[in-house]
Amino acid sequence: MADLEIKDLTVQVEDKVILKGANLTLNKGEIHALMGPNGSGKSTLANVLMGNPFYQVVKGGILYKGEDLLAMAPDARARKGLFIAFQYPVSIPGVTMSSFLRTAVSARRGYEKELIPVGEFQKLLKQKLAELPIIEPTIVGRYVNEGFSGGEKKRAEILQMAMLEPEIAIMDETDSGLDIDSVKIVAEGITRMYERANGNMGILVITHYSRILHYIKPSNVHVMFDGRIVVSGGPELAEELEAAGYEGIRSQFEVIAAEVQHEGAVKRAGKVFWVEH
Amino acid sequence: MAETGQIVEAGQLTRRAVEAISERHGEPRWMREFRLDAFEAFERLPWPTTRDEKWRRTDLSGLKVDELTPFAEAPAGPLPAGLRMTVDAFGAHSGLLVQRNSVAVHADLDGQVRERGVVLADMHQALREQPDLVREHFMRYVRPEKSKFSALHAAFWTGGTFLYVPPHVEVALPLQSYTWIDSERVSIFPHTIIVAGEGSKVTVIDGFGSLTAEYQAFADPIVELALHEGAQVRYVTMQDWGRNVWEVGIIRSALARDATLNSLLVGLGGKLVKADVESVLQGPGASSEMLGLVFGDGRQHYDIQTLQEHAAPHTTSDLLYKNAVKDRATSVFIGMIRVHPGAQKTNAFQVNRNLILSDGAKAISDPKLEIMANDLRCTHGSATSRLNEEHLFYLMSRGLTRAEAVRMVVEGFFAELFERVPLERVGAQLHVAVAAKMTE
């Protein structure tokens, strides 16, 4: 049983179908990269994994540790160890990071009636901040994402990830909006978290560019095109994409897209495959 | 201890009842006549209806003043647990006054503060001991004929707080006053006067609460604040009536040159609450911060009408009211900025933010301007929003249940007010009160 199993996921927003039968399997102890051009559906997949009510799943399903993930509310998913670092985290006026983090950590750790004791929380926070030198400690006194720069928002997401110690983490374009030095430091922080979890954390890195993958080494790379994962391979795939861009895949994709339209069934052109369900 | 309603029977809004109340307190002749004049005004003025502009949003037809007793003795025995908890929660104080029903039952004032000339007494005691001071200020800023309810108040007033801070005296710790309704079927009319002498400094916390009763009770309080030159007053009124209390109240402040008032009105309890909160800037350099936090649930109805009246140049008023409503509650905010001719170089700011938490809840916002000067800065804005699903999703994605996420958003909504009131205990109390509202 895989830890996260996405099967034939078809998702629409209002009347537009965004995911058209996506398949992906991820286990703890693995790092996968999900790449693809803008608008291919990567962020939609991330949001559906977390249960964003804005998206409607019309077909397919997701199993998380054998359970029906789509039947769970977002908070239940989070308490069971699923985490997403959002591409565009929203700001919550008037709510300080520290009170938010303390409430979230309490939820994740199964405190029901009360919150994790202040002392214990402070100790944990101090430890995580020490492990993530890129994060300005004063951030915890500020309102959640309010007035944060793009980079501060991304770093705040990483701090939340560190505090919540997820089992499966989805990083949605965490590298976008960060300069190259920041990408490196954030990636190192994530890698350290992953290593420290000692096989108890799986990560799905969603990215448009391969640069973050120089620092977070994936074992598997998937490429999404037009709502489907059309190529899966090893880390070399990311390097190929870096060299050739998405154009090589796009031309192969267009060839079989035309064929599938005429004939249906399973198609493969070079690396690109397509399963019509 | 006398039984409730001994000197006046229920429904007796009569001249004889006014006389009985005056006699009960051994009042001087001028006060007795003041009451009787007010009673005439009360009889003359019509009950407001929703056809009156000021009452358009608030229907009083459920208020049965004529079935309530306009004077009730304090019950015997120790303070009720709810009241004691509230008093304790606000922590250290320089002075404390407690009123139950229509009668003061406790008053203390720190000896050192007393030695410096500070007077903290219930209004009847003050009338006996400081007759000239009381006479100088009593209903000077709110006239009895202002409305049916102010006339009713002026005729039947009992209890309330009198505070006098002499010039240049600073009272370090807050002075606290609590008004508690123990009985049902009673009306109370506490009258509070705060006189802050030139260059004095004081913080006052004015609390209101009651037992939860089956039948209606009514409160018609009037608070008058007089700030002399350069006085600095922080005034917090915290209303947490039981669910069957109706209130029609007035808080009016008058600020002399360079005086500063920081006020906060908190509205949590009651069935229907109508409050006029008015600040008159009479001297150049005067500054009034008017904050409000209202949180309605169930079928509560709040109607808050504010007035920022600039009668002198170089004056500042800064108003922020945040109202949250859930279930089928309604909040009405009507805010007037009035700038007199000649009140140049005035700064007048007004912001009203409303948060609607349930489909059945309603928030009405109506800012108004009457500007008769031409050299001033004036801004006003109001915004009403519903719960933002994206915010909730974000918080829930970190493991917070929907209820926790909503509570956090609501606390965040009020946070700006907590920050602007540097009274730790008040902030803590508000957090508890807001959390309790969320679970109701």
Side-chain angles (χ1 to χ4, degrees), chain B residues 91-267:
Chain B
H93 50 257
S94 289
L96 172 67
L97 206 97
V98 180
Q99 172 178 341
R100 297 178 68 180
N101 287 340
S102 309
V103 179
V105 295
H106 174 94
D108 68 62
L109 181 63
D110 179 88
Q112 286 181 335
V113 174
R114 185 190 304 274
E115 272 170 31
R116 299 175 69 193
V118 174
V119 177
L120 177 72
D122 82 81
M123 191 56 74
H124 302 287
Q125 188 192 346
L127 186 56
R128 287 192 297 273
E129 295 172 6
Q130 309 280 345
D132 296 341
L133 262 180
V134 172
R135 193 169 186 177
E136 184 187 341
H137 293 282
F138 191 83
M139 294 205 82
R140 176 170 162 188
Y141 309 99
V142 180
R143 300 301 306 161
E145 57 275 13
K146 179 183 161 95
S147 76
K148 182 83 169 173
F149 287 100
S150 51
L152 178 65
H153 172 100
F156 287 92
W157 76 269
T158 50
T161 302
F162 182 80
L163 169 65
Y164 172 72
V165 185
H168 308 292
V169 169
E170 292 190 12
V171 184
L173 293 171
L175 299 171
Q176 302 179 9
S177 148
Y178 293 94
T179 303
W180 186 266
I181 303 178
D182 285 275
S183 310
E184 49 190 12
R185 295 175 195 270
V186 303
S187 295
I188 63 163
F189 305 92
H191 193 90
T192 289
I193 294 175
I194 294 170
V195 181
E198 186 181 331
S200 66
K201 192 172 177 184
V202 68
T203 295
V204 179
I205 298 171
D206 212 357
F208 298 87
S210 74
L211 291 178
T212 306
E214 287 285 305
Y215 199 77
Q216 205 173 78
F218 174 57
D220 181 359
I222 291 180
V223 178
E224 299 180 280
L225 296 100
L227 281 71
H228 291 274
E229 259 187 56
Q232 295 173 56
V233 174
R234 184 173 289 282
Y235 177 73
V236 176
T237 178
M238 194 139 171
Q239 179 274 103
D240 196 8
W241 299 122
R243 286 314 167 92
N244 235 332
V245 177
W246 296 55
E247 177 187 337
V248 177
I250 299 172
I251 301 169
R252 187 170 165 99
S253 55
L255 282 72
R257 176 185 288 268
D258 296 328
T260 303
L261 174 65
N262 298 94
S263 67
L264 168 68
L265 173 137
V266 177

Side-chain angles (χ1 to χ4, degrees), chain A residues 13-66:
Chain A
V13 175
E14 285 158 3
D15 290 336
K16 193 166 183 246
V17 181
I18 312 274
L19 290 184
K20 302 173 179 175
N23 294 282
L24 196 143
T25 299
L26 174 69
N27 287 297
K28 289 194 278 192
E30 295 173 1
I31 298 178
H32 289 214
L34 176 62
M35 303 183 69
N38 287 331
S40 55
K42 307 186 298 294
S43 277
T44 297
L45 179 65
N47 274 282
V48 170
L49 282 167
M50 207 65 237
N52 188 333
F54 187 62
Y55 300 85
Q56 293 105 49
V57 176
V58 290
K59 212 173 98 186
I62 306 170
L63 290 178
Y64 178 66
K65 296 195 275 189

Side-chain angles (χ1 to χ4, degrees), chain A residues 50-52 74-75 78-79 83-84 86 90-91 93-95 99-100 103-104 107 143 145 157 160, chain B residues 389-402 404 407-409 411-413 415-416 419:
Chain A
M50 207 65 237
N52 188 333
D75 55 310
R79 288 196 297 272
F83 179 88
I84 173 171
F86 286 98
V90 295
S91 55
V95 176
S99 90
F100 172 44
T103 314
Y143 292 153
N145 296 322
E157 294 290 290
Q160 293 175 46
Chain B
E389 287 298 325
E390 273 187 75
H391 289 180
L392 296 181
F393 169 62
Y394 185 72
L395 296 171
M396 288 173 75
S397 78
R398 301 305 186 230
L400 280 69
T401 60
R402 191 176 168 90
E404 286 170 329
R407 184 181 54 76
M408 199 150 252
V409 166
E411 285 216 354
F413 172 71
E416 193 180 349
E419 275 171 20

Side-chain angles (χ1 to χ4, degrees), chain A residues 5-215:
Chain A
E5 205 173 346
I6 302 166
K7 275 188 180 163
D8 189 25
L9 195 64
T10 305
V11 173
Q12 67 180 43
V13 175
E14 285 158 3
D15 290 336
K16 193 166 183 246
V17 181
I18 312 274
L19 290 184
K20 302 173 179 175
N23 294 282
L24 196 143
T25 299
L26 174 69
N27 287 297
K28 289 194 278 192
E30 295 173 1
I31 298 178
H32 289 214
L34 176 62
M35 303 183 69
N38 287 331
S40 55
K42 307 186 298 294
S43 277
T44 297
L45 179 65
N47 274 282
V48 170
L49 282 167
M50 207 65 237
N52 188 333
F54 187 62
Y55 300 85
Q56 293 105 49
V57 176
V58 290
K59 212 173 98 186
I62 306 170
L63 290 178
Y64 178 66
K65 296 195 275 189
E67 287 182 81
D68 179 5
L69 187 72
L70 296 178
M72 297 179 208
D75 55 310
R77 300 181 196 200
R79 288 196 297 272
K80 284 175 188 276
L82 195 64
F83 179 88
I84 173 171
F86 286 98
Q87 184 179 7
Y88 302 114
V90 295
S91 55
I92 315 284
V95 176
T96 60
M97 280 293 288
S98 62
S99 90
F100 172 44
L101 283 171
R102 188 171 166 218
T103 314
V105 168
S106 304
R108 172 78 175 110
R109 298 196 170 196
Y111 289 85
E112 275 177 12
K113 289 274 172 269
E114 43 204 61
L115 297 178
I116 178 172
V118 177
E120 201 179 317
F121 170 74
Q122 291 296 348
K123 199 175 139 200
L124 179 72
L125 182 61
K126 223 173 137 186
Q127 176 205 331
K128 298 296 182 185
L129 284 169
E131 286 170 14
L132 295 164
I134 191 173
I135 293 161
E136 192 63 48
T138 53
I139 207 171
V140 299
R142 294 169 65 187
Y143 292 153
V144 177
N145 296 322
E146 183 105 317
F148 285 22
S149 69
E152 282 175 327
K153 284 184 189 170
K154 297 298 172 78
R155 280 174 275 197
E157 294 290 290
I158 300 307
L159 176 61
Q160 293 175 46
M161 176 174 162
M163 293 293 286
L164 296 175
E165 299 176 341
E167 293 170 50
I168 297 287
I170 302 138
M171 325 288 312
D172 190 6
E173 307 248 2
T174 297
D175 51 343
S176 71
L178 290 180
D179 61 53
I180 189 70
D181 293 333
S182 303
V183 169
K184 184 170 176 233
I185 301 172
V186 165
E188 282 168 359
I190 294 167
T191 305
R192 209 171 311 132
M193 261 186 247
Y194 175 75
E195 282 165 359
R196 219 161 266 176
N198 205 13
N200 276 314
M201 185 190 289
I203 302 180
L204 180 64
V205 181
I206 296 176
T207 181
H208 181 78
Y209 303 105
S210 53
R211 58 179 190 175
I212 195 173
L213 305 180
H214 295 288
Y215 311 108

Side-chain angles (χ1 to χ4, degrees), chain B residues 15 18-19 31-41 154-155:
Chain B
R15 192 182 163 89
V18 172
E19 286 168 341
M31 180 56 84
R32 181 188 149 94
E33 279 170 10
F34 187 94
R35 286 181 184 274
L36 292 171
D37 286 350
F39 183 73
E40 273 179 29

Side-chain angles (χ1 to χ4, degrees), chain B residues 63-101:
Chain B
L63 176 63
K64 309 289 180 204
V65 179
D66 52 359
E67 293 174 17
L68 310 179
T69 310
F71 179 87
E73 298 286 357
L79 299 185
L83 172 58
R84 219 172 34 240
M85 263 171 52
T86 314
V87 172
D88 292 344
F90 283 104
H93 50 257
S94 289
L96 172 67
L97 206 97
V98 180
Q99 172 178 341
R100 297 178 68 180
N101 287 340

